[in-house]
Amino acid sequence: MTTKDDLLEAAKLIRNRAYVPYSAFPVGAALRTKSGNTYTGCNIENAAYPVSCCAERVAIFQAIANGERDFAEMAVVADTDRPVPPCGSCRQVMSEFFKTDMIIHLSNLKDDIKTVTMEELLPFSFQPSDLTEPKA
């Protein structure tokens, strides 16, 4: 089984593959599924900034594309002073697929780690159940 340290190391390694010619801010993410598989992602930028994709979403999308839907744990790593926080877009995507009690390890290259749950990362998130039609 993949440990927290394994996930953090996988996130650090994939960070080296990031395509970041504009920000020079490589980020890596590693996602473990309940079936025991690990999917990694790095941020991929584009000259048209809005179509860039963050490491967290790349890892989630890879897992989804491979038929995975049950997630256990994620690690995210960047070269920051504090453990790297995911952006708002990533938090929303994470809340779509992660249960509120899922563990997410945020880290930096100094091995500072902050471990949070999905609920702590994005409380009161917009959920699929919010899309139901209002009752008349």
Side-chain angles (χ1 to χ4, degrees):
M1 179 190 238
T2 306
T3 67
K4 172 177 82 170
D5 291 336
D6 294 333
L7 278 178
L8 288 164
E9 186 60 28
K12 283 181 189 175
L13 288 174
I14 196 67
R15 179 184 165 275
N16 295 322
R17 294 187 182 170
Y19 178 74
V20 291
Y22 310 105
S23 72
F25 185 71
V27 180
L31 174 62
R32 182 172 56 82
T33 64
K34 289 189 178 176
S35 65
N37 293 321
T38 299
Y39 296 89
T40 58
C42 57
N43 50 327
I44 303 165
E45 296 178 346
N46 190 285
Y49 296 144
V51 297
S52 298
C53 198
C54 299
E56 299 92 327
R57 286 181 282 151
V58 171
I60 292 167
F61 297 162
Q62 281 207 58
I64 297 294
N66 279 281
E68 300 274 10
R69 291 286 197 282
D70 295 320
F71 303 107
E73 192 173 17
M74 179 178 245
V76 184
V77 177
D79 188 8
T80 49
D81 288 334
R82 63 181 179 156
V84 65
C87 74
S89 294
C90 286
R91 291 176 196 222
Q92 183 59 45
V93 169
M94 292 162 79
S95 76
E96 176 82 12
F97 295 105
F98 298 170
K99 292 186 171 156
T100 57
D101 63 348
M102 187 171 131
I103 298 297
I104 302 151
H105 308 287
L106 309 174
S107 188
N108 58 18
L109 297 183
K110 298 181 284 188
D111 295 324
D112 297 325
I113 301 167
K114 180 172 181 69
T115 299
V116 297
T117 64
M118 186 63 237
E119 178 67 20
E120 292 169 325
L121 191 60
L122 186 61
F124 197 62
S125 64
F126 187 80
Q127 293 292 309
S129 60
D130 293 318
L131 294 174
T132 60
E133 292 199 28
K135 295 182 177 30

